[in-house]
Every structure is written in C-alpha cells, then in structure tokens.
Amino acid sequence: MALFKVTTKKLLVSNGKRLEAGMTAEISYNASSLPWNTATKTELKRQLKMKYNVDFPDGFINGINLNIEKL
C-alpha cells in the first residue's frame, strides 16, 4: 500500500473559508498513483477536517489546486 502526500498549492478562499497554501494530508492507497474518485476525495476531506478543522470544498479537489507526492 502506497502513502501519498497531498498539499495545497495556493491560497484558496470559498464562502469565507481560507485554505492556506501548504496544507497537507496523507492518504494511503493500494496503487502506484492516486485517482480522484469519490473515496479519495472523501478521505482527503476527512484528513483535512481532522488536521486543520476546515471543510475542503469539492470544487477545489483537483490537480490545479493540489500537488500529489508519493512517499
């Protein structure tokens, strides 16, 4: 099982919520790359909620706003 580090690339503002550049979450996945499917998005949102207490909007979960690094 691979571990991926997902990091926000830039400041994101949505409905008065600030998501700072450099916020990270670690997600494990049983493949060599991390797909953007519903389970992955749900896990990313859960990790960011636990770590930073922010609700990450679904519209920002994409390759433009996030950097994925395999650890």
Side-chain angles (χ1 to χ4, degrees):
M1 187 164 285
L3 183 64
F4 296 90
K5 181 178 176 183
V6 181
T7 307
T8 54
K9 291 182 180 179
K10 59 185 177 181
L11 172 67
L12 303 170
V13 179
S14 174
N15 295 331
K17 299 175 188 173
R18 292 176 55 97
L19 306 168
E20 300 291 334
M23 293 175 114
T24 62
E26 292 77 26
I27 299 174
S28 60
Y29 193 74
N30 198 16
S32 59
S33 63
L34 186 67
W36 289 125
N37 60 26
T38 304
T40 304
K41 289 179 181 182
T42 302
E43 179 62 16
L44 174 62
K45 289 177 71 167
R46 189 182 74 77
Q47 291 287 338
L48 291 171
K49 180 73 173 176
M50 285 184 352
K51 192 169 184 179
Y52 300 107
N53 197 26
V54 296
D55 291 318
F56 203 84
D58 286 333
F60 289 137
I61 300 177
N62 57 47
I64 296 170
N65 298 318
L66 300 171
N67 185 37
I68 301 172
E69 175 186 358
K70 185 176 179 182
L71 301 177

